[in-house]
């Protein structure tokens, strides 16, 4: 394996394993910032050794072993050594040298991930700081990716993350999932974090892959655990329902080469109907609690409309438009308004949709959002205005950071140009 190929492999492994490493280390040293430092140390060691020695059979265990050794060295040097070892003697959650398993990852890491989410969603942090820190540590997102999700400058996100780590360290935040009122107080932010994690996996902000299934699977697993911890919270079931249904489409979302396949063009026979049934059951649980449906349950209801349609033509677009209207009232957002405009265009004609999309064209938060010109291009193409559609798809391609999405948008632009040249209308999907 060449050095460059090994580096790419290590980076892919790191994306998958880093949340588990940091979660396990945070439980040991009770400090998220230190845990991330130790995990990064292990990554540096891997970058040095693996190109020469080869990728280990169990790279996650290898990284955990290296990181644990760093953590143990730190504890040995720490001025707080006596207090830490006293905690060990009292049965605390710290670890001693004999406890370190150098051949396998701790069996409790799965639980550690959820505990880490509740730790990074500590009430001492602002909402934005909680979300940014959790996405960085747990989701493995770069500061640039998080900045794009928030539509703010990368430096702003970097500062939030640094301050959040310092605050948690100063607060000596406990590494346990809270209960009762404390759990309820943190739950909304925890749900938002899991939702953003899933979204990044479902449509990657940047890079050469359209989707990151591992990130989606982790978000869905955490959502399922939350339904057991907070069974009376309708939004917990709503978010889990949304992730179940969206996950059902993975096999149909890309072609054999990994290129994106639009929802209306997907082979629905490839959808996972077990996940769809799980999602529909979760929606029913959310509705049975007698609470007003929140943003996640409403989005799950929209996803259910697609899931229930045997073909694209059978999709109940008027109901989807109505659900987006309800969602917009519950959670006002330019992006939701854009999705509502697209749904209205599908339900009542592209002229209506285009009018609504054009009303959003000067919205500051959408200026660099590739989906705005992409949606406008799609509506223009449906109206047979191919030259304008081509320009919109080209503009959308210039905005996206995802290589697969860029290629798809450029392909659609070329299809518009070809139809314009031959004087044809239609939708170049």
């Amino acid at each position: 394996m060449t050095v460059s190929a090994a580096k790419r492999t290590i980076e892919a492994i790191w994306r998958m394993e880093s949340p588990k490493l940091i979660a396990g280390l945070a439980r040991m040293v009770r400090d998220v910032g230190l845990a991330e430092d130790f995990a990064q140390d292990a990554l540096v060691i891997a970058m040095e050794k693996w190109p020469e020695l080869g990728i280990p059979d169990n790279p996650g265990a290898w990284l955990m072993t290296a990181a644990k050794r760093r953590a143990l060295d730190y504890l040995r040097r720490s001025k707080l050594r006596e207090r830490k070892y006293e905690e060990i003697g009292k049965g605390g959650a710290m670890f001693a040298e004999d406890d370190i398993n150098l051949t396998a990852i701790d069996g409790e890491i799965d639980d550690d991930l959820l505990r880490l989410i509740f730790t990074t969603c500590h009430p001492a942090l602002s909402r934005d700081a909680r979300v940014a820190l959790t996405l960085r540590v747990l989701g493995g997102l770069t500061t640039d990716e998080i900045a794009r999700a928030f539509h703010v400058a990368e430096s702003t996100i970097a500062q939030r993350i640094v301050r959040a780590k310092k605050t948690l360290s100063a607060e000596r935040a406990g590494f346990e999932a809270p209960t009762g009122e404390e759990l309820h107080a943190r739950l909304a932010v925890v749900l938002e974090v899991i939702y953003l994690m899933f979204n990044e996996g479902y449509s990657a902000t940047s890079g050469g892959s359209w989707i990151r299934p591992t990130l989606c699977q982790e978000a869905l697993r955490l959502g399922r655990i939350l339904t057991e911890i907070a069974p009376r919270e309708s939004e917990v079931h709503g978010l889990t329902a949304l992730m179940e249904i969206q996950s059902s489409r993975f096999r149909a979302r890309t072609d054999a080469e990994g290129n994106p396949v639009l929802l209306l063009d997907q082979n629905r026979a490839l959808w996972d109907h077990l996940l769809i049934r799980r999602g529909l059951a979760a929606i029913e649980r959310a509705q049975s609690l007698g609470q007003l449906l929140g943003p996640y349950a409403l989005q799950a209801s929209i996803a259910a409309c697609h899931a229930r349609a045997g073909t694209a033509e059978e999709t109940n677009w008027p109901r989807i438009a109505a659900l987006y209207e309800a969602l917009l009232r519950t959670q006002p957002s330019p992006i939701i308004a854009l999705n509502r405009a697209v749904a209205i265009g599908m339900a009542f004609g592209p002229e209506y949709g285009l009018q609504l999309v054009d009303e959003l064209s000067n919205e500051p938060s959408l200026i660099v959002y590739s989906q705005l010109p992409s949606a406008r291009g799609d509506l223009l193409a449906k109206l047979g205005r191919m030259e304008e559609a081509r320009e919109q798809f080209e503009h959308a391609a210039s905005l996206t950071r995802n290589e697969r999405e860029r290629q798809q948008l450029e392909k659609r632009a070329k299809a518009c140009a070809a139809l314009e040249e031959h004087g044809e209308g239609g939708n170049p999907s």
Side-chain angles (χ1 to χ4, degrees):
M1 181 182 291
T2 65
V3 173
S4 60
K7 182 178 179 181
R8 288 194 299 272
T9 301
I10 294 169
E11 289 172 348
I13 292 170
W14 173 252
R15 280 217 166 195
M16 291 187 291
E17 299 293 341
S18 60
K20 298 177 183 178
L21 295 176
I22 295 169
L25 292 164
R27 176 173 57 82
M28 296 170 186
V29 299
R30 301 282 175 150
D31 188 301
V32 175
L34 279 175
E36 190 173 17
D37 289 343
F38 295 141
Q40 289 283 351
D41 288 345
L43 174 63
V44 170
I45 297 170
M47 286 289 192
E48 294 173 350
K49 294 183 176 295
W50 289 3
E52 178 182 351
L53 302 177
I55 306 297
D57 292 337
N58 190 337
W62 194 102
L63 289 167
M64 180 61 87
T65 296
K68 280 181 173 179
R69 285 172 172 157
R70 292 286 175 148
L72 183 60
D73 288 343
Y74 165 80
L75 291 176
R76 285 170 175 159
R77 297 192 305 268
S78 174
K79 294 179 181 179
L80 300 177
R81 179 184 60 222
E82 290 81 9
R83 185 175 66 81
K84 296 292 185 182
Y85 280 18
E86 182 181 350
E87 290 180 6
I88 294 171
K90 293 179 179 179
M94 298 298 295
F95 66 100
E97 186 171 6
D98 290 343
D99 296 327
I100 299 180
N101 181 343
L102 298 182
T103 60
I105 297 179
D106 294 328
E108 295 184 354
I109 278 180
D110 287 345
D111 291 336
D112 287 344
L113 287 168
L114 190 58
R115 291 192 188 98
L116 181 55
I117 287 184
F118 277 99
T119 298
T120 53
C121 290
H122 193 279
L125 303 178
S126 69
R127 171 213 168 263
D128 289 345
R130 297 179 202 177
V131 175
L133 178 61
T134 310
L135 289 175
R136 179 70 186 91
V137 174
L138 258 179
L141 275 64
T142 65
T143 52
D144 178 48
E145 290 170 338
I146 300 169
R148 288 177 67 84
F150 276 98
H151 302 288
V152 298
E154 183 176 356
S155 59
T156 301
I157 294 298
Q159 291 169 4
R160 285 179 190 171
I161 292 171
V162 170
R163 287 197 298 266
K165 290 178 182 177
K166 290 180 178 178
T167 300
L168 287 180
S169 180
E171 290 285 331
R172 300 187 182 278
F175 192 65
E176 295 86 18
T179 58
E181 289 301 318
E182 189 179 358
L183 182 146
H184 183 78
R186 299 193 200 183
L187 190 58
V189 179
V190 170
L191 290 175
E192 182 179 7
V193 166
I194 294 174
Y195 173 75
L196 291 172
M197 282 176 59
F198 185 87
N199 276 356
E200 177 59 28
Y202 194 72
S203 298
T205 302
S206 61
S209 299
W210 173 238
I211 57 178
R212 295 169 58 185
T214 302
L215 193 55
C216 288
Q217 290 165 6
E218 188 57 47
L220 176 55
R221 187 191 66 79
L222 294 172
R224 289 172 176 170
I225 293 175
L226 278 180
T227 62
E228 300 297 325
I229 294 175
R232 301 296 300 170
E233 297 287 342
S234 66
E235 278 290 78
V236 172
H237 295 291
L239 177 57
T240 304
L242 175 63
M243 294 189 293
E244 297 277 12
I245 295 173
Q246 299 291 71
S247 296
S248 73
R249 303 177 193 156
F250 272 127
R251 285 186 296 171
R253 291 196 75 231
T254 56
D255 62 19
E257 286 74 41
N259 298 311
V261 178
L262 299 177
L263 175 60
L264 299 184
D265 298 328
Q266 289 175 13
N267 179 358
R268 300 187 178 213
L270 295 177
W271 288 1
D272 188 324
H273 292 278
L274 174 59
L275 289 175
I276 290 174
R277 288 195 296 273
R278 291 183 65 128
L280 296 178
I283 292 175
E284 291 180 2
R285 285 194 292 274
Q287 294 171 338
S288 69
L289 294 172
Q291 303 166 12
L292 288 176
L293 295 186
Y296 301 123
L298 287 170
Q299 290 180 70
S301 298
I302 292 168
C305 289
H306 293 292
R308 291 188 175 106
T311 65
E313 292 73 23
E314 295 173 16
T315 305
N316 189 345
W317 285 107
R319 173 164 173 73
I320 291 176
L323 287 166
Y324 270 120
E325 185 70 36
L327 180 60
L328 189 60
R329 289 197 300 268
T330 303
Q331 190 178 47
S333 157
I335 292 177
I336 294 173
L338 177 61
N339 289 334
R340 167 181 168 269
V342 172
I344 288 175
M346 294 296 295
F348 306 110
E351 299 91 346
Y352 297 103
L354 183 61
Q355 180 180 346
L356 294 171
V357 169
D358 285 346
E359 292 174 1
L360 297 168
S361 59
N362 294 321
E363 173 61 43
S365 63
L366 297 181
I367 289 176
V368 294
Y369 185 56
S370 64
Q371 294 303 309
L372 176 62
S374 175
R376 193 166 189 275
D378 187 63
L379 291 164
L380 287 166
K382 285 182 168 67
L383 292 169
R385 296 160 60 178
M386 293 303 165
E387 179 62 21
E388 295 172 85
R390 177 190 61 77
E391 292 174 354
Q392 291 298 305
F393 287 131
E394 288 176 347
H395 180 47
S398 72
L399 294 176
T400 183
R401 297 285 297 277
N402 185 280
E403 182 64 20
R404 296 289 187 176
E405 183 182 19
R406 183 185 65 77
Q407 292 172 357
Q408 181 205 52
L409 290 165
E410 290 176 345
K411 181 180 177 181
R412 298 192 75 186
K414 290 178 181 177
C416 287
L419 290 170
E420 177 69 16
E421 182 179 346
H422 290 90
E424 300 177 18
N427 180 23
S429 60

